[in-house]
Structures are given as structure tokens and as C-alpha cells.
């Protein structure tokens, strides 16, 4: 039975260091164990491994992250068999995607803690385009979403915004009408694999 064993890795990029270990066995139905501790500059990673249409920058600090389990348990949603723990702190994260997130998302600061079935977010704040926000909540089914096809990312988030600009989340239809007028606005579509409930307390603006 083939296996991959990296008992002690050390990775440095742009002055940031990441340490940990990785073990994978039975590649037809993998079992895995991963630990990580350190920090990572996402902008530097994107310079090395660019992704078309997507921009990502910022810094994440990883504290005592550990996860292990099997692909079979993920498929069966046996989260009790997938011990996962650790904390992540986010600094100055900026994300944009030409297909889904036209205005772009920033997280100036935020914290995340991991359990086998959830990622809990707290003290997250930043901007959605021109709009400010503060958010708390969780994402569930994240392992299946990350590792399997057609699995939704589920969760609940509470969002507070002092001023939310709805114009930035509308897009124009392609083309113009017979009089040369621009087409009507449409809401930016949410990807179908996102099944997240939002509770929002916002002051909306629309010019």
C-alpha cells in the first residue's frame, strides 16, 4: 500500500515560516494526518501559483492546527471520526473574483477556530467593496466542500454594516437595447454550492 510520509516539514516564503507534518496512505481511499503551525503570506503564494480571474492577498497566522481522518468518513459525514482543532488569525486579507465577487472582499482582522464539523468565525471586520461590515458565525461541511465535488458549504453568519452600498452588488446585462440604452441591472449570482444563512443588520444606500 503506497503512502506519503513527511514527518517534519519547514517552509519559508517572504519572511514567513510554516512548520508541520503530513502523512497520507491508501491513495484509492485516502487516510490522512496533517499538522501545521506558523504564518503564511497569501499574496506571495499567489505570485508563485497564480489563479486566473482571482486575486488574493493577506496574511494568516496558524496556531496548533491538526486534522486527521479518511475520505470514506468525509463521504459518510462521520465527523466524530475526523478530529480537527486549531486556530487561525487573519490579517489584511483581500479577495476578488471576476466571476462572483465584483467589488472584492477584505478582512482587516478576524479569528477562526476549527472543530471536525465547523469553522467558527469571530471578531471579523472589513469591507465588501465600499461597504463596511462586522461578522460572526460559522461554516459547516467544509471538509466535504474542500475535498469532494458538488458538496455545498453550509453555515450561518450574522453581519452588521453601518453603510451597505447595494449598487456594487448589481451588474448590467450584456449589450444595449434598440435605443442604445444600457440594459437593466441584475443581482450578482451566488454560487450554487454556497448554502449559507445570513442574518443582517445593515443600513443600505442606493444611488
Amino acid at each position: 500500500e503506497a503512502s506519503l510520509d513527511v514527518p517534519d516539514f519547514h517552509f519559508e516564503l517572504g519572511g514567513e515560516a510554516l512548520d508541520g507534518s503530513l502523512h497520507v496512505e491508501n491513495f484509492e481511499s485516502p487516510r490522512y494526518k496533517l499538522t501545521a503551525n506558523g504564518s503564511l503570506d497569501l499574496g506571495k503564494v499567489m505570485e508563485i501559483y497564480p489563479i486566473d480571474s482571482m486575486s488574493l492577498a493577506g496574511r494568516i497566522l496558524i496556531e496548533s492546527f491538526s486534522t486527521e481522518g479518511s475520505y470514506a468518513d468525509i463521504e459518510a459525514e462521520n465527523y466524530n471520526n475526523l478530529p480537527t482543532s486549531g486556530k487561525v488569525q487573519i490579517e489584511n486579507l483581500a479577495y476578488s473574483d471576476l466571476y462572483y465577487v465584483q467589488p472584492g472582499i477584505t478582512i482587516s482582522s478576524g479569528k477562526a477556530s476549527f472543530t471536525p464539523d465547523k469553522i467558527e468565525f469571530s471578531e471579523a471586520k472589513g469591507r465588501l467593496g465600499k461597504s463596511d461590515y462586522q461578522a460572526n458565525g460559522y461554516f459547516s461541511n467544509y471538509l466535504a466542500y474542500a475535498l469532494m465535488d458538488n458538496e455545498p458549504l453550509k453555515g450561518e453568519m450574522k453581519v452588521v454594516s453601518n453603510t451597505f452600498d447595494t449598487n456594487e452588488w448589481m451588474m448590467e446585462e450584456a449589450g444595449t437595447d434598440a435605443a442604445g440604452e444600457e440594459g437593466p441591472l441584475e443581482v450578482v449570482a451566488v454560487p450554487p454550492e454556497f448554502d449559507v444563512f445570513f442574518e443582517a443588520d445593515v443600513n443600505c444606500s442606493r444611488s
Side-chain angles (χ1 to χ4, degrees):
E1 182 177 288
S3 65
L4 171 67
D5 194 24
V6 185
D8 185 14
F9 68 75
H10 178 78
F11 175 77
E12 291 189 18
L13 180 63
E16 307 284 351
L18 185 66
D19 296 277
S21 62
L22 173 65
H23 178 78
V24 182
E25 60 186 38
N26 186 13
F27 290 99
E28 291 186 2
S29 182
R31 290 193 59 82
Y32 61 88
K33 184 174 183 178
L34 170 68
T35 67
N37 200 73
S39 57
L40 195 61
D41 186 324
L42 299 176
K44 297 293 185 182
V45 174
M46 292 294 290
E47 288 178 8
I48 299 172
Y49 302 107
I51 300 175
D52 291 343
S53 83
M54 190 180 83
S55 173
L56 181 64
R59 186 167 178 257
I60 59 174
L61 289 77
I62 303 167
E63 180 182 343
S64 302
F65 179 81
S66 176
T67 184
E68 62 180 295
S70 70
Y71 188 83
D73 282 325
I74 293 172
E75 283 186 308
E77 299 183 359
N78 293 328
Y79 297 117
N80 290 333
N81 296 337
L82 305 170
T84 302
S85 61
K87 297 179 180 179
V88 171
Q89 186 169 329
I90 302 168
E91 296 181 349
N92 300 318
L93 186 145
Y95 169 81
S96 62
D97 188 309
L98 293 179
Y99 294 113
Y100 294 131
V101 190
Q102 290 181 334
I105 294 174
T106 67
I107 303 176
S108 56
S109 63
K111 298 178 180 179
S113 59
F114 290 79
T115 66
D117 60 334
K118 291 181 181 179
I119 305 176
E120 299 269 1
F121 289 92
S122 62
E123 302 177 27
K125 60 182 179 180
R127 306 194 75 83
L128 303 174
K130 298 176 183 177
S131 308
D132 69 283
Y133 74 89
Q134 298 181 44
N136 296 279
Y138 71 88
F139 291 136
S140 62
N141 201 45
Y142 69 95
L143 287 171
Y145 172 76
L147 299 175
M148 300 170 59
D149 293 331
N150 302 316
E151 282 290 328
L153 180 67
K154 302 178 181 180
E156 294 185 8
M157 297 293 290
K158 182 176 182 180
V159 180
V160 177
S161 175
N162 294 315
T163 305
F164 192 88
D165 186 348
T166 57
N167 278 336
E168 291 187 305
W169 296 90
M170 307 293 285
M171 62 181 180
E172 295 179 359
E173 287 185 337
T176 57
D177 61 19
E181 298 292 332
E182 293 183 346
L185 296 176
E186 292 183 339
V187 176
V188 175
V190 175
E193 62 270 20
F194 279 73
D195 183 12
V196 180
F197 173 79
F198 284 91
E199 178 184 347
D201 180 3
V202 301
N203 292 319
C204 293
S205 66
R206 173 82 187 274
S207 57

